[in-house]
């Protein structure tokens, strides 16, 4: 049985579905105040079976637990062969707690979903925290694998492209800071879930870090043109000069301390985010779908919701 930590996250439901489809038994660690309805409804709709909604499927269990409570984690690990960890690695305290508990068990295999944020050449407390978590994992005696994913898209809750498309559908425009020549390499959500499935029992991947991302870099502006094409909407692309926008946002942040947009976000947007994923190709035949194909699937999902 696999313990999935972070099953209610946007990637969690896809990962749980993948494991069930591949005849694994899954236990989901769930906080007592966590809402599992969305996850159960997703599984029921996918398998056209209400047993997931009614807690009656023999291959799926829910157990109460919180990473802040070592006892609850210890209890959740009974009869578990492997753990899949789907929570942002910026929470280093969670990682410390989990590694301490795992060290008291015979469980060795853990797959961690990390992020390519650690590769971006801009320093931040979040990046440092993720790096610290990775170092703790590397020092452990586990058979760990870390999958560093680039920007993930492809579900209604991805918070990236789905939010952008919903904004465009509502407002009819989109704003770009700078010329939009920066490169991005987003990964389709099913490719992330497949990677987790493929590495789980693959010993070649033990004690290794992999980057997983889309098959090729695309210019931000070309990404928007692809959205226009596939959405069938010639929405306005408003280009704002990056330096001026940064100065304006800096000023605005001084007035509004709760501003969602910060100057360093504008800096980060300008940076090329391209990655080498050949390690993943070599060790588990990583073969991501094209951005056009993934985006078409997401648009279909949004239109059908
Ligand atoms: N968004 C992206 O583009 C992107 C890119 C690369 C990698 N990722 C990775 O994708 C994963 C999911 O990201 P996310 O931002 O949706 O998730 P997140 O906010 O890091 O985690 C959400 C999940 O963690 C659970 N959780 C939080 N605190 C917990 C605790 N103390 N004890 C037990 N469970 C707890 C939540 O459960 P509740 O239901 O109780 O809230 C929920 O299932 C992360 O590993 C992230 O690094 C995302």
């Amino acid at each position: 049985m696999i313990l999935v930590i972070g099953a209610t996250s946007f990637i969690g439901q896809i990962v749980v579905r993948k494991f069930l489809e591949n005849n694994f038994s899954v236990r989901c660690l769930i906080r007592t105040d966590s809402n599992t309805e969305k996850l159960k409804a997703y599984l029921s709709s996918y398998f056209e079976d209400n047993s997931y909604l009614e807690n009656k499927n023999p291959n799926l269990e829910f157990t109460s637990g919180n990473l802040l409570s070592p006892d609850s984690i210890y209890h959740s690990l009974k009869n578990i062969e492997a753990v899949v960890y789907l929570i942002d690695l910026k929470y280093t305290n969670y990682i410390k707690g989990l590694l301490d508990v795992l060290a008291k068990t015979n469980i060795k295999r853990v797959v961690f979903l990390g992020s390519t944020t650690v590769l971006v050449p801009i320093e931040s407390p979040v990046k440092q925290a993720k790096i610290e978590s990775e170092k703790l994992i590397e020092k452990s005696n586990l058979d760990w694998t870390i999958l560093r994913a680039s920007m993930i898209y492809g579900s209604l809750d991805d918070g990236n492209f789905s939010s952008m498309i919903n904004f465009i559908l509502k407002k009819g425009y989109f704003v770009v800071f700078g010329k939009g020549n920066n490169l991005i390499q987003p990964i389709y959500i099913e490719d992330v879930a497949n990677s987790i499935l493929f590495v789980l029992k693959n010993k070649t991947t033990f004690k290794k870090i992999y980057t997983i991302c889309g098959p090729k870099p695309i210019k931000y502006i070309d990404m928007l043109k692809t959205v226009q094409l596939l959405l069938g909407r010639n929405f306005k692309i408003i280009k704002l000069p990056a330096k001026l926008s940064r100065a304006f946002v800096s000023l605005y942040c001084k007035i509004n301390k709760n501003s969602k947009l910060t100057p360093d976000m504008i800096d980060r947007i300008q940076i090329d985010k391209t990655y080498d994923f050949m390690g993943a190709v070599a060790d588990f035949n990583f073969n991501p779908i094209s951005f056009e194909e993934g985006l078409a699937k997401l648009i279909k999902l949004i239109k059908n919701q």
Side-chain angles (χ1 to χ4, degrees), residues 21-303:
E21 277 173 344
N22 285 277
N23 303 318
F24 283 96
S25 297
V26 177
R27 181 180 296 156
C28 302
L29 180 95
I30 301 288
R31 290 192 283 189
T32 45
D33 56 352
S34 175
N35 186 349
T36 56
E37 294 314 310
K38 222 172 177 177
L39 169 64
K40 289 178 189 168
Y42 170 79
L43 295 174
S44 294
S45 71
Y46 212 90
F47 292 98
E48 292 172 351
D49 171 358
N50 273 339
S51 62
Y52 294 99
L53 266 177
E54 293 161 3
N55 280 348
K56 281 185 195 155
N57 192 291
N59 293 326
L60 183 67
E61 282 180 16
F62 292 89
T63 188
S64 290
N66 192 317
L67 286 158
L68 297 172
S69 154
D71 280 353
S72 70
I73 302 299
Y74 189 79
H75 287 299
S76 73
L77 291 169
K78 200 174 169 205
N79 300 328
I80 289 295
E81 294 155 56
V83 177
V84 171
Y85 187 87
L86 305 174
I87 301 184
D88 200 318
L89 293 184
K90 71 182 175 189
Y91 304 110
T92 307
N93 58 329
Y94 287 178
I95 291 294
K96 276 187 191 145
L98 177 66
L99 295 179
D100 283 349
V101 175
L102 283 167
K104 293 177 192 139
T105 72
N106 293 325
I107 300 163
K108 295 287 259 175
R109 183 67 180 132
V110 187
V111 178
F112 295 89
L113 181 60
S115 146
T116 49
T117 304
V118 296
L119 302 174
V120 174
I122 278 198
E123 296 314 310
S124 70
V126 165
K127 176 180 166 183
Q128 280 317 312
K130 290 182 192 219
I131 290 174
E132 197 187 329
S133 292
E134 286 195 354
K135 284 187 179 149
L136 289 170
I137 295 165
E138 285 179 73
K139 267 196 249 156
S140 74
N141 286 324
L142 298 170
D143 290 330
W144 53 268
T145 301
I146 300 173
L147 295 171
R148 289 175 177 161
S150 64
M151 183 198 286
I152 302 171
Y153 73 96
S155 93
L156 296 175
D157 302 323
D158 68 34
N160 294 318
F161 284 87
S162 64
S163 307
M164 181 180 84
I165 290 167
N166 282 320
F167 180 92
I168 290 167
L169 287 173
K170 225 192 277 168
K171 307 274 186 184
Y173 69 88
F174 199 70
V175 174
V176 179
F177 297 106
K179 293 197 172 86
N181 286 333
N182 57 301
L183 296 165
I184 55 169
Q185 209 166 342
I187 180 166
Y188 184 57
I189 197 160
E190 296 277 340
D191 287 329
V192 179
N194 280 332
S195 300
I196 293 170
L197 183 74
F198 295 162
V199 300
L200 189 75
K201 291 199 168 180
N202 179 345
K203 289 191 177 165
T204 314
T205 68
F206 288 10
K207 299 191 192 288
K208 286 191 191 165
I209 299 181
Y210 297 93
T211 297
I212 52 171
C213 55
K216 58 177 190 197
I218 32 174
K219 277 189 187 173
Y220 197 85
I221 193 72
D222 292 340
M223 173 277 286
L224 283 175
K225 286 178 187 161
T226 307
V227 175
Q228 279 180 328
L229 190 76
L230 295 181
L231 207 52
R233 285 234 186 162
N234 205 11
F235 59 87
K236 249 194 195 151
I237 300 174
I238 303 169
K239 289 185 188 172
L240 297 179
K243 276 191 182 161
L244 199 68
S245 307
R246 197 189 190 284
F248 179 78
V249 171
S250 293
L251 198 69
Y252 180 71
C253 285
K254 284 187 183 133
I255 304 162
N256 181 357
K257 300 278 178 219
N258 298 321
S259 168
K260 278 190 184 159
L261 196 59
T262 58
D264 51 316
M265 276 165 90
I266 296 186
D267 294 339
R268 240 177 287 146
I269 291 168
Q270 306 305 309
I271 286 178
D272 284 344
K273 297 182 195 76
T274 66
Y275 311 102
D276 174 358
F277 56 91
M278 286 307 132
V281 174
D283 285 358
F284 55 94
N285 294 327
F286 178 65
N287 183 19
I289 64 169
S290 71
F291 177 66
E292 291 76 8
E293 202 181 335
L295 186 67
K297 286 175 192 271
L298 175 61
I299 289 174
K300 194 171 165 201
L301 202 63
I302 291 173
K303 288 190 172 167

